[in-house]
């Protein structure tokens, strides 16, 4: 009897990780030749790198219990802006920084509207995403930016260091950086306090508005960075190239919330969430499962994870 | 006899909310129920309406013993309640609201609005009420909303109508409209249990009055054989503070509040001052604006006008951060909702207000954090498995100690405490009293809000009365009787 309760407890606490391990073992047995290889593992890290970067931003926003629906459009804008600027002769590094700064400001405006006028972030960022999409289309005339892209622009997205893709290294560094920010800085502590109980945070003297605005700004920046890295990897920037990231990013964060028993969004949780999604996509592709089937399975796994965790949380109350 | 209760008892944990209550309500009478905050009036209403289940005792309805386990049960008997916070859907019109929870009239599968309107209008005529049925509830005046609820209650056979503070948000003139309807219902044979803080209404309307105190029934009297002073003396223990020997020296005025009016008019022209070394009790009945006044001072509620001085200097406070910087701290009434971040650890909650002091260039010094949090856990003897434990897992009393630990971290000189001992155990309550007395002795100013009059008299040096959003008399707590304080509250 006791043992059984313990088993359910273990599953509730580490269920997501256990599920991840089961998925890896399953694919390794089914396709030992193509899935369970070092080169495929490295390949997976590159495949998930872009998702991880955008999901880190989404983690910050979810930590303060808000939503940013504009991250997909923001990623597209970031890629297009950086590409356009470099095509026009601006050195790549400055092109990246300018695009990043612009998206930081747009993100900040998102936050400002939400905190100043107490508008739901859902609506604000939905509208902002539409506006950004319109601007991106205007800049590009709706076509992909690919002519005259300087060679340096593709450096970040294609270079490897000691046979590791530079993208994977960037992903790892950013994950560690933001883990440190969320875990060991005042800013991170304040974001979690605001997300945990906004009123209490305010009564305790925290500047809720400013910290939330910063979370929105950083979220926008990370989305833009994702768009740039995507463009750098492909050597071209499509005006809707980042849109597809939006849903997977939140899927990664929600899955990540279930990794640790506290149920709050954490950077490593998100990383694991994105990794599980990436491994799943990779393995199912190797098994030649059609894309629609992959979507169905991925969706079902996310719902299962969230439901299992909710059941654990309800029991806690 | 319509309703009789025999020895009804309700406990929450080890606390008696109601003890051995015997009341009886005759058919067609208006029965007043009065008592201080926490006397057990709301608990009784909840038992009569099937929200709470009684622990001991029984209910006799029209001579038969009944068990209520769900609000539907009491509704079926013919008991309806109208709460002070009204239960209407703002976008629905009168007919739609009246038919909430009732079966719609239909022809085939189509709703027959005409027939429903006819039925309601017929009832309205019988009751002699005039209220617009075609406007959405959101555009009705407060008494119209109450009348609408009364119509709804009368749509099914209603034998006992419970009115819980029905005039709380009404002006005198609006209340008169309501009274007329109440009397008409009585003449039609409906019994009414009328619960209110406003004693004038009790004398205007009721046939008999039951007085509750500390969860017990003190007495039931004929209205015509009693007066206001007699009633008040029954509602309170004649309790005065005994050991007045540990008197503190009263210093300069630390906090002075002048003519504060909140934007939402919940606080009107309120003024008071607190000296160094003083514990000022702020006492008012439910809905008197005591919490709102503290929130204005602390920058949580917008002010229309008013002036706040700290150490004779005028300060502008528009948010809690500024209030804390000026040396204030607010212990909120709503502990879980406004004071604690439940999911965060004990340590993170204690250090929430002064977290910036633990960081260099934004990076936290966790060792110093742990040391300071542990020191507070020890000095306030907070019972926890460790500083890492999520604060939500702590007991109510220990949660409140965490709130105080957080407050002390910013070294405040003005403590604004709103119901600081609410839902904490006796031991913690004594510890909180001792802490506040020590803080006052050190030369700080304490404002202490409690709806427990006895507690206010136990701890406060003087008692500032607040009623209907306005500050009234300020009484020195020297041989001060509870009766005197209540009389000041009940003056119209």
């Amino acid at each position: 009897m006791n043992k059984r309760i313990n088993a359910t407890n273990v599953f509730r606490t580490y269920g997501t990780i256990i599920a991840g391990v089961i998925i890896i073992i399953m694919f390794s047995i089914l396709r030992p030749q193509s899935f369970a290889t070092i080169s495929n593992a490295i390949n997976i890290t590159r495949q998930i790198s872009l998702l991880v970067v955008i999901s880190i931003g989404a983690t910050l926003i979810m930590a303060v219990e808000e939503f940013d629906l504009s991250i997909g459009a923001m990623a597209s804008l970031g890629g297009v802006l950086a590409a356009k600027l470099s095509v026009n002769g601006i050195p790549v590094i400055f092109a990246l920084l300018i695009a990043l700064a612009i998206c930081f400001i747009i993100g900040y405006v998102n936050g400002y509207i939400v905190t100043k006028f107490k508008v739901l972030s859902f609506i604000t960022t939905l509208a902002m995403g539409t506006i950004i999409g319109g601007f991106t289309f205007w800049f590009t005339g709706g076509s992909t930016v690919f002519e005259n892209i300087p060679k340096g622009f593709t450096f970040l997205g294609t270079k490897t260091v000691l046979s590791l893709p530079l993208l994977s290294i960037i992903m790892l560094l950013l994950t560690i950086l933001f883990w440190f920010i969320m875990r060991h800085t005042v800013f991170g502590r304040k974001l979690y306090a605001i997300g945990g109980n906004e009123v209490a945070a305010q009564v305790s003297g925290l500047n809720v508005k400013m910290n939330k605005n910063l979370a929105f700004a950083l979220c926008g920046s990370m989305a833009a960075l994702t768009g740039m890295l995507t463009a750098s990897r492909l050597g071209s920037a499509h005006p809707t190239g980042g849109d597809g990231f939006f849903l997977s990013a939140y899927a990664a964060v929600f899955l990540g919330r279930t990794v640790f028993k506290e149920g709050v969004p954490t950077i490593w949780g998100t990383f694991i969430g994105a990794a599980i999604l990436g491994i799943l996509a990779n393995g199912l592709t190797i098994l030649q499962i059609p894309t629609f089937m992959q979507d169905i399975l991925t969706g079902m796994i996310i719902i299962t994870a969230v439901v299992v965790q909710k059941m654990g949380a309800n029991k806690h109350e | 006899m319509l309703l009789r209760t025999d020895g009804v008892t309700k406990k929450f944990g080890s606390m008696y909310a109601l003890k051995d209550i015997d009341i009886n309500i005759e058919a067609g009478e208006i029965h007043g129920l009065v008592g201080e905050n926490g006397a057990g009036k709301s608990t009784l209403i909840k038992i009569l309406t099937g929200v709470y289940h009684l622990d001991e005792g029984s209910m006799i309805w029209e001579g038969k013993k009944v068990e209520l386990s769900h609000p539907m049960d009491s509704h079926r008997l013919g008991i309806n309640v109208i709460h002070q916070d009204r239960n209407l859907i703002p976008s629905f019109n009168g007919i739609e609201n009246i038919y909430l929870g009732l079966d719609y009239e239909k022809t085939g599968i189509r709703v027959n609005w005409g027939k429903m309107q006819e039925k309601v209008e017929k009832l309205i005529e019988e009751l002699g009420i005039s209220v617009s049925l075609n406007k959405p509830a959101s555009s009705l005046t407060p008494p119209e909303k109450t009348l609408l609820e009364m119509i709804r209650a009368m749509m099914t056979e209603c034998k006992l109508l419970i009115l819980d503070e029905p005039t709380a948000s009404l002006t005198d003139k609006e209340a008169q409209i309501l009274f007329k309807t109440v009397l008409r219902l009585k003449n039609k044979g409906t019994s009414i249990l009328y619960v209110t803080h406003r004693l004038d209404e009790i004398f205007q309307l009721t046939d008999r009055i039951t007085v509750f105190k500390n969860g017990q029934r003190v007495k039931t009297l004929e209205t015509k054989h009693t007066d206001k002073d007699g009633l008040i003396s029954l509602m309170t223990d004649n309790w005065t503070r005994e050991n007045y020997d540990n008197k503190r020296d009263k210093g300069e005025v630390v906090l002075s509040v002048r003519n504060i009016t909140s934007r939402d008019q919940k606080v009107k022209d309120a003024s008071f001052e607190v000296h160094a070394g003083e514990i000022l009790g702020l006492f008012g009945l439910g809905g008197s604006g005591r919490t709102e006044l503290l929130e204005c001072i602390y920058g949580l509620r917008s002010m229309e006008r008013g002036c706040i001085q700290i150490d004779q200097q005028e300060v502008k406070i528009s948010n809690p951060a500024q209030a804390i910087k000026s040396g204030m701290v607010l212990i909120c009434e709503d502990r879980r909702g406004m004071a604690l971040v439940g999911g965060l650890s004990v340590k993170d909650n204690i250090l929430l207000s002064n977290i910036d002091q633990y960081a260099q260039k934004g990076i936290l010094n966790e060792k110093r954090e742990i040391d300071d949090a542990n020191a507070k856990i020890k000095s306030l003897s907070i019972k926890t498995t460790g500083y890492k434990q999520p604060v939500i897992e702590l007991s109510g009393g220990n949660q409140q100690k965490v709130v105080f630990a957080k407050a002390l971290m910013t070294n405040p000189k003005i403590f604004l405490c709103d119901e600081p001992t609410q839902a904490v155990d006796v031991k913690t309550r004594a510890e909180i009293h001792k802490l506040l007395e020590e803080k006052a002795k050190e030369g700080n100013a304490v404002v202490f809000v409690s709806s427990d009059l006895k507690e206010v008299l136990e701890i406060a040096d003087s008692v500032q009365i607040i009623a209907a959003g306005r500050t009234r008399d300020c009484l020195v707590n020297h041989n001060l009787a509870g009766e005197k304080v209540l009389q000041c509250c009940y003056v119209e």
Side-chain angles (χ1 to χ4, degrees):
Chain A
M1 187 72 188
N2 240 333
K3 229 175 188 173
R4 204 162 163 186
I5 289 168
N6 281 341
T8 33
N9 268 344
V10 167
F11 193 74
R12 273 198 184 121
T13 318
Y14 302 107
T16 309
I17 292 178
I18 294 170
V21 172
I22 292 172
I23 289 168
I24 292 173
I25 293 172
M26 222 173 60
F27 285 138
S28 304
I29 294 169
L30 289 171
R31 288 289 182 276
Q33 307 295 324
S34 41
F35 181 82
T37 60
I38 296 200
S39 72
N40 190 43
I42 291 174
N43 191 24
I44 289 174
T45 63
R46 197 188 54 227
Q47 283 170 354
I48 65 169
S49 58
L50 298 166
L51 178 59
V52 168
V53 174
I54 198 166
S55 306
I56 286 173
T59 309
L60 300 198
I61 274 308
M62 298 267 328
V64 291
E65 291 280 317
E66 296 286 356
F67 249 109
D68 187 346
L69 304 186
S70 66
I71 55 173
M74 200 88 90
S76 304
L77 175 71
V80 165
L81 268 180
K84 270 270 171 188
L85 289 168
S86 358
V87 167
N88 284 311
I90 292 173
V92 172
I93 178 80
F94 289 115
L96 296 179
L97 286 177
I98 291 169
L100 212 51
I102 289 172
C103 290
F104 182 91
I105 292 167
I106 299 174
Y108 196 90
V109 172
N110 266 337
Y112 184 82
I113 295 170
V114 169
T115 55
K116 173 83 182 176
F117 303 104
K118 299 192 168 69
V119 186
L120 285 180
S121 58
F122 212 81
I123 293 161
T124 309
T125 57
L126 183 67
M128 188 61 88
T130 314
I131 295 172
I132 296 170
F135 269 110
T136 313
F137 198 84
W138 187 11
F139 293 149
T140 57
S143 52
T144 309
V145 187
F146 66 97
E147 279 169 27
N148 305 322
I149 286 196
K151 217 163 176 244
F153 189 78
T154 56
F155 178 85
L156 290 175
T158 53
K159 192 80 182 157
T160 56
V161 181
L162 303 169
S163 74
L164 271 179
L166 190 54
L167 276 180
S168 307
I169 295 171
I170 292 172
M171 160 188 81
L172 205 60
L173 291 178
L174 283 173
T175 306
I176 292 170
L177 173 70
F178 274 90
W179 161 76
F180 186 84
I181 290 175
M182 293 305 276
R183 178 69 185 76
H184 288 287
T185 69
V186 182
F187 178 59
R189 176 76 56 81
K190 286 182 179 171
L191 291 192
Y192 281 127
I194 291 166
N197 186 341
E198 187 172 327
V199 181
Q202 198 205 356
V203 170
S204 302
L206 267 56
N207 189 337
V208 171
K209 289 181 182 172
M210 195 194 68
N211 285 294
K212 265 195 174 179
N213 294 352
L214 274 178
F216 273 100
L218 283 172
C219 180
S221 312
M222 293 302 277
L225 183 61
T226 308
M228 294 170 206
L229 294 174
T230 312
S232 169
R233 186 179 169 194
L234 301 173
S236 64
H238 192 270
T240 58
D243 294 14
F245 282 114
F246 156 61
L247 282 175
S248 341
Y250 284 104
V253 180
F254 275 112
L255 206 50
R257 280 180 93 140
T258 66
V259 171
F260 304 108
K261 72 168 190 296
E262 288 81 9
V264 291
T266 56
I267 299 295
W268 283 113
T270 299
F271 181 87
I272 293 170
I276 290 176
L277 292 178
I279 291 165
L280 211 55
N282 176 282
L284 292 173
T285 308
I286 289 176
L287 286 174
Q288 293 178 318
I289 306 253
T291 326
F292 64 83
M293 211 49 218
Q294 294 188 17
D295 287 347
I296 293 170
L297 275 173
T298 310
M300 276 163 45
I301 287 173
I302 293 166
I303 289 181
T304 311
V306 178
V307 168
V308 167
Q309 196 204 19
K310 267 277 181 286
M311 277 157 46
N314 288 346
K315 206 181 174 194
H316 192 77
E317 280 169 14
Chain B
M1 194 181 300
L2 182 68
L3 170 76
R4 196 178 89 221
T5 67
D6 277 340
V8 163
T9 298
K10 177 77 193 165
K11 279 208 275 191
F12 293 110
S14 57
M15 291 275 290
Y16 280 98
L18 283 181
K19 202 173 176 185
D20 228 359
I21 298 291
D22 300 329
I23 59 165
N24 59 71
I25 294 172
E26 301 289 341
E29 79 163 333
I30 302 182
H31 196 112
L33 181 59
V34 296
E36 272 190 79
N37 305 317
K41 303 178 302 241
S42 303
T43 312
L44 181 70
I45 294 175
K46 285 186 173 141
I47 285 178
L48 294 182
T49 51
V51 177
Y52 291 161
H53 197 71
L54 48 85
D55 293 332
E56 286 164 43
S58 57
M59 256 179 80
I60 316 290
W61 178 261
E62 294 183 319
K64 275 197 285 277
K65 191 173 173 211
V66 289
E67 298 257 355
L68 304 178
S69 51
H70 191 271
M72 285 295 287
D73 295 342
S74 92
H75 198 78
R76 220 168 280 134
L77 291 179
I79 302 177
N80 278 306
V81 61
I82 295 173
H83 291 289
Q84 56 188 100
D85 38 350
R86 297 181 191 80
N87 255 326
L88 296 172
I89 295 179
S91 61
F92 275 20
N93 70 22
I95 304 283
E96 289 166 321
N97 266 307
I98 288 167
Y99 266 90
L100 273 184
L102 297 175
D103 290 331
Y104 278 14
E105 299 292 339
K106 285 184 206 136
T107 24
I109 55 162
R110 210 170 53 85
V111 174
N112 190 339
W113 292 106
K115 195 169 171 199
M116 283 156 66
Q117 175 126 14
E118 240 170 66
K119 268 194 150 179
V120 172
E121 274 168 357
K122 190 165 154 253
L123 177 69
I124 287 181
E125 207 175 314
E126 269 176 46
L127 298 175
I129 300 174
S130 78
V131 58
S132 162
L133 292 172
N134 298 317
K135 282 197 276 183
S138 56
S139 63
L140 295 177
T141 61
E144 283 178 322
K145 288 179 186 170
T146 309
L147 291 176
L148 206 56
E149 287 217 51
M150 290 175 80
I151 297 166
R152 178 163 72 197
M154 302 307 294
M155 280 296 284
T156 47
E157 199 191 10
C158 178
K159 290 178 182 160
L160 174 62
L161 182 65
I162 303 173
L163 296 171
D164 185 9
E165 297 282 354
T167 56
S169 56
L170 303 189
T171 63
D172 288 347
K173 216 174 137 200
E174 290 170 340
Q176 293 304 328
I177 303 172
L178 182 76
F179 296 162
K180 252 192 239 157
T181 312
V182 170
L183 289 171
R184 202 167 285 134
L185 289 183
K186 172 195 150 137
N187 291 336
K188 285 191 65 197
T190 307
S191 302
I192 287 156
L193 183 63
Y194 196 94
V195 184
T196 186
H197 278 311
R198 301 191 179 177
L199 296 188
D200 288 344
E201 294 172 8
I202 289 284
F203 283 99
Q204 191 181 339
L205 286 174
T206 62
D207 302 306
R208 288 191 303 156
I209 308 167
T210 293
V211 182
F212 272 18
K213 184 172 73 187
N214 302 328
Q216 282 173 295
R217 185 181 68 96
V218 182
K219 209 171 180 183
T220 299
L221 328 118
E222 299 277 331
T223 306
K224 51 181 180 275
H225 294 146
T226 185
D227 60 10
K228 208 159 154 183
D229 287 344
L231 206 56
I232 290 172
S233 69
L234 287 174
M235 285 159 66
T236 171
D237 298 302
N238 225 340
W239 200 89
T240 52
R241 175 153 78 169
E242 288 154 15
N243 47 352
Y244 199 64
D245 45 287
N246 56 351
K247 208 182 158 212
R248 292 172 293 269
D249 296 324
K250 213 157 102 172
E252 298 282 309
V253 174
V254 178
L255 171 69
S256 158
V257 174
R258 290 275 154 264
N259 308 99
I260 287 192
T261 301
S262 67
R263 194 161 289 162
D264 55 14
Q265 306 294 316
K266 294 233 167 111
V267 180
K268 290 174 207 134
D269 212 22
S271 306
F272 70 85
E273 53 187 34
V274 207
H275 299 77
E278 182 186 25
I279 298 180
L280 176 76
L282 188 62
F283 182 81
L285 302 161
S288 59
R290 17 171 232 217
T291 298
E292 289 80 0
L293 175 55
L294 292 192
E295 286 177 353
C296 282
I297 301 168
Y298 196 65
L300 262 178
R301 187 173 283 267
S302 349
M303 287 196 314
E304 192 176 277
R305 58 174 180 276
C307 150
I308 299 166
Q309 288 186 339
I310 292 175
D311 293 333
Q312 279 89 39
Q313 298 281 318
E314 183 165 350
V315 286
K316 279 269 165 282
I317 289 165
S318 53
N319 60 49
Q322 288 169 2
I324 290 173
K325 212 170 273 166
S326 326
M328 284 197 251
V329 73
L330 174 68
I331 308 290
C332 291
E333 179 182 14
D334 181 2
R335 188 157 55 224
R336 281 191 177 187
M338 294 179 75
L340 294 171
V341 185
L344 286 190
S345 68
V346 171
K347 174 192 74 139
D348 292 358
N349 271 289
I350 292 177
L351 305 179
L352 194 56
S353 282
N354 65 333
I355 188 65
D356 287 316
Q357 294 167 15
Y358 292 89
Q360 265 185 326
K361 297 202 173 104
I363 298 169
L364 291 165
N365 180 341
E366 201 157 351
K367 192 176 172 309
R368 264 184 56 216
E369 279 190 66
I370 294 170
D371 289 347
D372 285 10
N374 275 335
K376 274 282 174 294
I377 289 172
K378 204 170 158 216
S379 70
L380 294 179
S381 44
I382 299 170
K383 265 208 200 88
T384 164
T385 57
Y387 67 84
K388 277 186 183 163
Q389 191 179 17
V391 80
I392 192 116
E393 293 176 4
L394 268 50
S395 71
N398 283 297
Q399 285 184 0
Q400 190 68 336
K401 285 185 183 176
V402 172
V403 175
F404 269 98
K406 178 178 75 178
L408 294 173
M409 291 309 291
T410 56
N411 289 319
K413 57 184 177 203
I414 300 165
F415 291 77
L416 306 172
C417 308
D418 194 0
E419 303 278 0
T421 60
Q422 184 175 278
V424 306
D425 53 290
V426 184
K427 187 160 164 269
T428 307
R429 182 184 137 115
E431 284 169 337
I432 289 172
H433 285 181
K434 198 165 148 247
L435 176 74
L436 290 174
E437 272 164 359
E438 271 166 21
K439 284 292 149 190
K441 215 167 204 166
E442 289 167 18
N444 303 297
V446 177
V447 180
F448 189 97
V449 170
S450 171
S451 46
D452 182 351
L453 179 53
K454 196 169 154 190
E455 181 181 23
V456 171
L457 292 177
E458 206 176 316
I459 187 165
D461 300 310
S462 30
V463 181
Q464 169 67 56
I465 310 288
I466 179 165
R470 294 175 194 276
T471 44
R472 299 252 176 99
D473 313 55
C474 187
L475 313 163
V476 177
N477 186 13
H478 189 68
N479 295 326
L480 180 60
E483 204 178 322
K484 178 87 195 303
V485 176
L486 276 186
Q487 268 165 356
C488 292
C489 290
Y490 283 121
V491 170
E492 290 294 319

